[in-house]
Amino acid sequence: MNILVINSGSSSIKYQFFKLPSAKPVCFGLIERIGLPNSGIVHKVYADGQEKVISLTFDIPNHEAGMNEAAKLLTEPGIGVIQNPDDITVVGHRIVHGGETLTKTTIVTEQVKEEIKKIFALAPLHNPGSYQGIQVAQKLFDKATHICVFDTAFHQTLPEKAFRYAIPQTFYHDEGIRVYGFHGISHKYVTDKALNYLNNPKAKVITIHLGNGCSMAAVNAGKCIDTSMGLTPLEGLIMGTRSGSIDPSVLIYMMTQLGYDIKQVSNILNKESGMLGLTGYSDMRDIKRLIEEGDHNALLAFEMFAYRIKKYIGAYTAALNGLDAIVFTAGIGENDVLIREMICQEMDIFGIRIDEQKNSSRISGTHEINDVSSLVKILVIPTNEELEIATECMELLNEQKALQIS
């Protein structure tokens, strides 16, 4: 099955092409700075154990122009992976927010697109770009089945006591204001890998996705029961540029006493806070360099980052009534030795003990970094959201075929 996975943002498009059942992508592409100066595309093709890279810089005025260029590269003689766009069987679209109506992987219809448009306000930075991506891809790959996979879907198993906010009920019933959670595609992927590794489908697991955006999920027997992000991706952990959870009175004070308007406050909390606000840098590699140079603010930021995660581990262990494993994933979670060590230090009350030597070892794939005396497995599992999207698309189509046969 030829599946093209598209992750369309406001000014960028990522794509990967799979020939399932092989889990390795045949090609990868990134289109950046759409509608901005110095836009361009990087296209990588994997064949015969080698990687070919095509990098082009030119004006890309909109998503349609970007996807047209991607389609040319996918079919170009010498580097193409298909002969023509009709060779694409399925196009899988990553959609950040599905609201309360789009709760599982689903085939794109006009009604589905209308539902995505209705919740633009819940994900103004993500859903409009995803919608554009669907519109453009349907023109280019008009013979393919288009399928949406939602980042919020994995968190739809949250009980009401976990997803409701303690505000007047009309805000939930009339406006849909509740915890939705994000990074669900990643959390689901590493959860499945963890349960398989543990050989225990009923395991109690905390998944920790640490990248520029950061989130956690408490998962009981494969079902998410709580997650750190809320109505939007702003709630929860300290992130690269996002503040994470904060007393709402701080926002009120900023507006009533300091004279900021709502757009300024939103920009500060989403784009100027987190590790950037604390240190001047959002990249953990830069912050670690400052720590090595003795920078107090950088060390404090690292300690705050780890401390917030430790608190969530404690809360989620209580919510799960036990814990079998914690999972680190995404760019920081998979690669940052220091932050994993700081998170797992002084967690003996939960039976969490890290092995410093294992933690420092560079090992690919799923592996343990816990001490032999640890009662809880500490796992590092590389995430693969694109493969998860492709897999969910294939599973949906297989389910539909099975229903038709029966």
Side-chain angles (χ1 to χ4, degrees):
M1 185 181 291
N2 292 341
I3 297 184
L4 180 65
V5 174
I6 296 176
N7 182 354
S8 182
S10 58
S11 61
S12 68
I13 302 172
K14 296 178 185 176
Y15 60 90
Q16 285 193 30
F17 177 70
F18 294 87
K19 291 188 175 183
L20 294 182
S22 174
K24 293 184 178 180
V26 179
C27 79
F28 159 88
L30 175 61
I31 305 165
E32 291 188 289
R33 298 180 60 81
I34 295 171
L36 300 170
N38 300 316
S39 49
I41 182 170
V42 175
H43 183 86
K44 298 180 181 180
V45 179
Y46 308 100
D48 302 322
Q50 294 184 327
E51 178 183 285
K52 295 181 181 178
V53 181
I54 298 91
S55 182
L56 304 170
T57 301
F58 56 97
D59 288 339
I60 302 176
N62 52 47
H63 285 66
E64 186 166 4
M67 281 308 303
N68 273 319
E69 190 62 36
K72 288 179 186 177
L73 291 169
L74 287 167
T75 57
E76 188 170 313
I79 60 168
V81 294
I82 54 175
Q83 290 186 341
N84 63 70
D86 292 349
D87 291 339
I88 300 290
T89 313
V90 175
V91 180
H93 298 268
R94 180 199 178 209
I95 311 295
V96 166
H97 214 310
E100 285 202 304
T101 56
L102 302 170
T103 60
K104 59 183 180 180
T105 299
T106 185
I107 291 175
V108 175
T109 63
E110 290 304 312
Q111 182 180 354
V112 167
K113 289 196 291 185
E114 285 304 309
E115 289 297 322
I116 292 172
K117 286 178 69 175
K118 285 179 184 177
I119 52 178
F120 274 6
L122 293 179
L125 299 179
H126 299 93
N127 273 30
S130 298
Y131 181 85
Q132 279 187 294
I134 293 172
Q135 294 283 77
V136 171
Q138 283 185 314
K139 291 181 183 178
L140 284 172
F141 309 105
D142 58 347
K143 298 292 192 298
T145 301
H146 291 257
I147 298 175
C148 289
V149 181
F150 300 95
D151 244 338
T152 47
F154 182 61
H155 306 301
Q156 287 296 317
T157 52
L158 264 64
E160 192 169 6
K161 64 183 179 183
F163 73 68
R164 287 286 297 274
Y165 290 114
I167 55 179
Q169 295 201 34
T170 183
F171 289 106
Y172 169 61
H173 293 299
D174 297 343
E175 306 297 335
I177 296 177
R178 51 158 287 183
V179 169
Y180 288 100
F182 300 90
H183 293 145
I185 297 168
S186 176
H187 285 293
K188 183 180 184 303
Y189 179 83
V190 297
T191 292
D192 290 345
K193 289 287 185 183
L195 298 185
N196 184 62
Y197 179 86
L198 297 169
N199 194 26
N200 180 7
K202 296 183 178 180
K204 298 176 179 182
V205 179
I206 297 173
T207 53
I208 309 172
H209 177 109
L210 303 179
N212 189 52
C214 302
S215 65
M216 293 173 61
V219 187
N220 190 0
K223 292 186 176 182
C224 183
I225 66 163
D226 208 343
T227 190
S228 59
M229 285 180 168
L231 174 71
T232 74
L234 183 60
E235 188 178 0
L237 306 180
I238 295 170
M239 306 177 218
T241 64
R242 298 181 191 131
S243 66
S245 295
I246 189 170
D247 181 352
S249 295
V250 174
L251 284 63
I252 297 169
Y253 186 87
M254 291 170 71
M255 290 186 286
T256 60
Q257 301 299 315
L258 303 181
Y260 291 94
D261 62 33
I262 190 64
K263 287 185 178 179
Q264 290 173 313
V265 171
S266 177
N267 190 67
I268 290 169
L269 295 183
N270 281 287
K271 298 180 180 180
E272 299 177 4
S273 296
M275 302 303 278
L276 178 65
L278 292 168
T279 69
Y281 294 91
S282 61
D283 192 308
M284 285 296 196
R285 291 166 294 189
D286 292 321
I287 299 168
K288 286 172 70 177
R289 174 179 52 79
L290 291 177
I291 291 174
E292 291 169 359
E293 294 171 358
D295 187 284
H296 170 75
N297 289 331
L299 179 58
L300 174 63
F302 243 67
E303 290 173 341
M304 291 172 64
F305 185 88
Y307 181 67
R308 183 75 60 91
I309 295 167
K310 288 163 76 86
K311 289 204 295 183
Y312 270 93
I313 290 173
Y316 286 173
T317 301
L320 289 164
N321 191 27
L323 185 61
D324 295 303
I326 61 174
V327 177
F328 289 100
T329 194
I332 296 169
E334 294 168 29
N335 299 296
D336 199 310
V337 172
L338 177 59
I339 201 63
R340 292 195 303 250
E341 181 181 334
M342 291 178 71
I343 291 166
C344 294
Q345 283 176 343
E346 299 179 351
M347 298 286 276
D348 302 84
I349 189 67
F350 301 112
I352 298 172
R353 299 186 184 93
I354 196 167
D355 183 308
E356 292 185 12
Q357 185 173 349
K358 290 180 183 176
N359 185 41
S360 299
S361 300
R362 295 293 179 184
I363 303 172
S364 60
T366 299
H367 59 281
E368 296 180 21
I369 58 171
N370 50 275
D371 186 81
V372 292
S373 66
S374 182
L375 302 179
V376 174
K377 294 287 187 185
I378 307 173
L379 305 178
V380 178
I381 303 179
T383 192
N384 193 331
E385 292 168 293
E386 288 77 18
L387 178 58
E388 177 64 29
I389 292 169
T391 301
E392 290 194 32
C393 289
M394 185 175 69
E395 288 175 350
L396 174 63
L397 293 178
N398 288 339
E399 286 173 10
Q400 292 196 336
K401 285 182 182 178
L403 287 172
Q404 290 172 358
I405 293 171
S406 62

